[in-house]
Amino acid sequence: MRSSKIDGITLEVMKNSFYTIAEEMGVTLIRTALSTNIKDRVDCSTAIYTKEGELVAQAEHVPLHLGLMPSVVKEVLKMYPEDELKEGDAILINDPYISGSHLPDIFMISPIFYRNELIAIAANIAHHVDVGGLTPGSMSVKATEIFQEGIRLPAIRVRKNGVLDSEVIRLLEKNVRTGEEVLGDIYAQLAANSVAEKGIIELVEKYSKDHVFLCMKELMNYSDRRMRNAIEKVTDGEYTFTDYLEGDGITEDLLKICTKVIVDRDTITVDFTGSNEQTKGPVNSTHGVTSACVFYALKSLLEPDVPPNAGTYRSIEIIAPKGTIVNPNFPAPVSNANSNTSQRIADTIFGALADILPEKSMAACSGTMNGFSIGGFNKDRNKYFSYVETYGGGQGALTDMDGMDGVHTNMTNTLNTPVEVIEQSFPFIVNKYALVDGSGGPGKHRGGLGLERELVLLGDEYTVTLMSDRQNNKPWGLFGGHGGENSSCTVITPEGERKELSSKVTMSVPKNTTIILQTAGGGGYGTPIERNPDEVLKDVVLGHISVDEALHQYSVVIDEKTLKINYQETNVIRNN
């Protein structure tokens, strides 16, 4: 119900206060982290919660992280009820089978006290570059059970009553390959939560505890009202879509994800019944990851500007049958679901609602985070290293604009690691980093271009893991738009032999191996012949498509020497 005690202006002021605290947490985490994966790529997320574990505000970080963190906080509070929490406590958890995504994502959860009373919870998540397991990076595609993927932290206090637990710190340091970086990032996570504690206490002292609690509650109610209002504008009915993953790392069999979106007045149910059984390889999506994908896709389509908090998702129900690829049974491996399965789940929801929400829909993006890791022992520095990155691709086109080129899409929102940082931090040389011309799906609005990076490895017997997809099935277009081009990965041996890799591989490579990774383009939106000829010419001038492609894909005649459009011939071809 609408509160009579909080007016709209006050609620807006408090909303911005909460979100500012979450953003300040993120800035602190990023600026104090040690690994390139966090300080450069920003593979982390931050948020604040009520003392009961209800999401209040989050920073604009990684959608996958932010959508699953609430379930983690709730589970931790079940294990540590209010009377067991102490001021200065900090809890670590990464166990996907309590709640979470995969083992490299370590959550830091801290209670916030004011005058000996629990008033809020601060939480953050950071993707650590190694947590043990079969291979550097802890995401081997050959893992067949969670025990092979790294150390599991089942909600343990790394700080008690404000005192860091040195035994837990030693345990962590000795069970990972890159202990210095992992501990550095853990300390950054502690610092981020301390910023939240300071900010929330300042709000309480400025306005009063009861006022802060009431504003938290009303902010969630406000988001709930807006989301339900958006759902009511969608025609009631059942809408389905099916898409596929290209193997699990053990086999290359197609893996089906079936999605039914049921709209009923002001509620939505997303049902994954009929999806593939859980797999032997590590592409199984935990319930938390699956939920995050649902929340992201529906919010993006229905009410993208609504403040994201617990109220935003009250109207959404998720049916994810146990023992399937979207909700596996223990101890199924899960490390690669973040990179691939999460993206395909989001794709199916966008696909299911495209026909009834054409003006808000988007063609398929590259469809994978293109997870890529390289690790081993760096003899020059006498230490282990672990390079972890996800590569952007083409965004799907929309009803009124082209897809963006070479960006992270849907469930990921990280940055790229700059070439200079890669070459300073790791024993690699970057020969090339560029967009893949011609990879965007043709349409009235073109799909975004994929990107290409070429690395030369300067050391011997490094372990390479590729967690990709869309090598065979193109990212689909919408309403007559064509699909984007597929991804690929090529290895060139020191002897010059070229080998094409499958989309999911873990392998050891010798010194001076070259790896060329190309990511998929986004799908096009609308019939290509409807594209503005001037936009086609622009793509030709920029080198994104050739003169021949302009003719055969878009029916636009361009003089190769003058790079001018022959409008007369173009109109004749298009009209016929």
Side-chain angles (χ1 to χ4, degrees):
M1 296 178 62
R2 186 179 299 275
S3 170
S4 61
K5 297 181 180 179
I6 302 295
D7 61 86
I9 295 175
T10 300
L11 187 63
E12 183 69 15
V13 169
M14 294 302 293
K15 181 199 78 172
N16 286 310
S17 297
F18 296 139
Y19 280 87
T20 296
I21 293 170
E23 293 288 351
E24 288 176 344
M25 291 172 67
V27 170
T28 302
L29 176 50
I30 294 160
R31 290 189 175 182
T32 59
L34 190 57
S35 72
T36 60
N37 196 50
I38 298 175
K39 69 181 180 182
D40 292 295
R41 291 195 59 247
V42 195
D43 197 349
C44 59
S45 300
T46 55
I48 56 175
Y49 295 77
T50 67
K51 64 178 183 179
E52 295 82 16
E54 297 287 341
L55 175 63
V56 175
Q58 60 191 32
E60 292 186 1
H61 289 156
V62 182
L64 181 73
H65 291 172
L66 297 166
L68 67 88
M69 206 186 321
S71 64
V72 180
V73 173
K74 285 286 187 70
E75 291 302 317
V76 167
L77 291 181
K78 290 178 184 177
M79 302 170 71
Y80 292 90
E82 183 175 342
D83 59 355
E84 292 186 19
L85 291 171
K86 306 296 182 185
E87 187 171 357
D89 283 355
I91 299 165
L92 290 180
I93 179 172
N94 73 341
D95 189 340
Y97 285 100
I98 295 174
S99 184
S101 53
H102 59 181
L103 297 182
D105 283 344
I106 298 181
F107 299 79
M108 178 77 73
I109 298 170
S110 305
I112 299 174
F113 284 83
Y114 179 70
R115 295 179 179 175
N116 298 318
E117 179 183 353
L118 180 65
I119 58 171
I121 302 291
N124 66 66
I125 174 176
H127 182 124
H128 288 257
V129 293
D130 193 86
V131 289
L134 287 173
T135 59
S138 310
M139 293 180 287
S140 169
V141 303
K142 299 303 180 185
T144 57
E145 56 182 8
I146 190 90
F147 305 109
Q148 298 170 345
E149 296 185 320
I151 187 171
R152 289 163 62 210
L153 306 172
I156 57 174
R157 278 188 264 217
V158 69
R159 193 175 63 194
K160 303 174 182 177
N161 292 317
V163 179
L164 204 62
D165 191 320
S166 61
E167 295 179 358
V168 171
I169 292 297
R170 288 200 303 273
L171 178 68
L172 279 172
E173 184 180 19
K174 301 305 179 184
N175 277 277
V176 301
R177 297 172 179 85
T178 56
E180 181 181 353
E181 287 181 302
V182 169
L183 292 188
D185 291 346
I186 290 290
Y187 298 146
Q189 290 183 264
L190 285 166
N193 283 2
S194 294
V195 167
E197 179 182 30
K198 180 176 181 291
I200 292 295
I201 289 175
E202 285 179 350
L203 280 182
V204 169
E205 290 180 336
K206 182 176 182 179
Y207 295 107
S208 85
K209 179 186 63 178
D210 290 341
H211 179 80
V212 170
F213 287 174
L214 184 59
C215 288
M216 288 178 171
K217 180 180 179 180
E218 181 53 26
L219 182 59
M220 290 184 277
N221 291 337
Y222 168 75
S223 292
D224 180 35
R225 291 193 299 271
R226 282 190 57 178
M227 198 68 176
R228 290 182 187 275
N229 182 63
I231 295 172
E232 286 181 329
K233 296 177 182 178
V234 181
T235 304
D236 285 359
E238 298 183 0
Y239 309 97
T240 62
F241 196 87
T242 299
D243 209 336
Y244 298 86
L245 286 172
E246 300 169 354
D248 65 350
I250 306 297
T251 75
E252 295 188 9
D253 297 339
L254 290 179
L255 307 172
K256 180 170 60 174
I257 296 178
C258 294
T259 300
K260 179 190 293 184
V261 180
I262 305 166
V263 182
D264 182 14
R265 291 175 290 184
D266 66 347
T267 64
I268 284 185
T269 300
V270 179
D271 186 354
F272 294 100
T273 300
S275 295
N276 211 92
E277 293 183 357
Q278 68 184 60
T279 63
K280 186 175 182 180
V283 295
N284 299 292
S285 172
T286 66
H287 194 280
V289 170
T290 298
S291 299
C293 300
V294 172
F295 297 155
Y296 160 78
L298 291 180
K299 181 179 182 294
S300 298
L301 283 166
L302 300 174
E303 189 63 282
D305 295 327
V306 66
N309 54 53
T312 312
Y313 310 118
R314 290 175 186 165
S315 54
I316 299 170
E317 181 182 354
I318 298 168
I319 300 173
K322 285 292 290 181
T324 66
I325 195 172
V326 295
N327 190 12
N329 289 316
F330 178 83
V334 299
S335 63
N336 281 240
N338 283 27
S339 291
N340 295 304
T341 315
S342 68
Q343 298 286 57
R344 199 63 68 254
I345 292 170
D347 282 343
T348 61
I349 297 170
F350 281 113
L353 295 176
D355 285 338
I356 61 165
L357 296 172
E359 74 287 352
K360 295 185 177 181
S361 294
M362 176 176 61
C365 300
S366 57
T368 168
M369 296 184 193
N370 299 293
F372 192 51
S373 70
I374 305 170
F377 190 77
N378 186 342
K379 294 180 180 179
D380 292 338
R381 298 187 179 183
N382 195 35
K383 61 188 291 189
Y384 282 95
F385 74 92
S386 180
Y387 162 76
V388 175
E389 185 159 11
T390 54
Y391 287 8
Q395 180 194 22
L398 295 95
T399 184
D400 58 352
M401 62 181 291
D402 291 349
M404 290 186 287
D405 303 325
V407 294
H408 288 285
T409 57
N410 289 341
M411 301 312 301
T412 178
N413 190 31
T414 56
L415 304 179
N416 71 312
T417 307
V419 170
E420 296 83 0
V421 172
I422 291 177
E423 294 186 339
Q424 290 173 4
S425 305
F426 305 103
F428 316 146
I429 292 176
V430 181
N431 277 349
K432 183 179 181 181
Y433 190 35
L435 297 174
V436 181
D437 291 328
S439 59
K444 179 180 180 180
H445 299 291
R446 172 178 60 78
L449 304 178
L451 59 78
E452 175 182 353
R453 183 175 270 167
E454 180 179 320
L455 297 172
V456 179
L457 311 190
L458 303 180
D460 203 22
E461 297 303 315
Y462 291 161
T463 300
V464 174
T465 294
L466 173 66
M467 301 153 280
S468 186
D469 209 74
R470 294 297 196 195
Q471 281 194 358
N472 301 308
N473 298 327
K474 291 185 175 183
W476 37 264
L478 277 180
F479 308 116
H482 297 186
E485 290 302 310
N486 296 120
S487 65
S488 67
C489 187
T490 304
V491 167
I492 305 176
T493 68
E495 296 75 30
E497 181 184 359
R498 297 176 69 95
K499 298 180 181 178
E500 296 299 322
L501 300 183
S502 63
S503 61
K504 300 167 188 68
V505 63
T506 295
M507 60 187 295
S508 180
V509 297
K511 185 176 181 179
N512 293 325
T513 294
T514 299
I515 302 175
I516 304 172
L517 177 59
Q518 290 189 343
T519 67
Y525 189 110
T527 307
I529 201 171
E530 295 180 286
R531 186 165 177 79
N532 186 325
D534 292 336
E535 292 297 320
V536 177
L537 176 62
K538 180 180 177 182
D539 281 343
V540 171
V541 172
L542 292 174
H544 296 332
I545 63 173
S546 67
V547 169
D548 284 343
E549 287 169 330
L551 175 61
H552 294 109
Q553 293 176 354
Y554 295 101
S555 298
V556 175
V557 181
I558 299 175
D559 186 282
E560 194 163 6
K561 293 182 179 179
T562 64
L563 291 183
K564 292 183 177 180
I565 300 171
N566 186 321
Y567 286 98
Q568 183 176 357
E569 290 188 26
T570 295
N571 291 334
V572 170
I573 295 173
R574 287 191 162 193
N575 290 333
N576 291 332

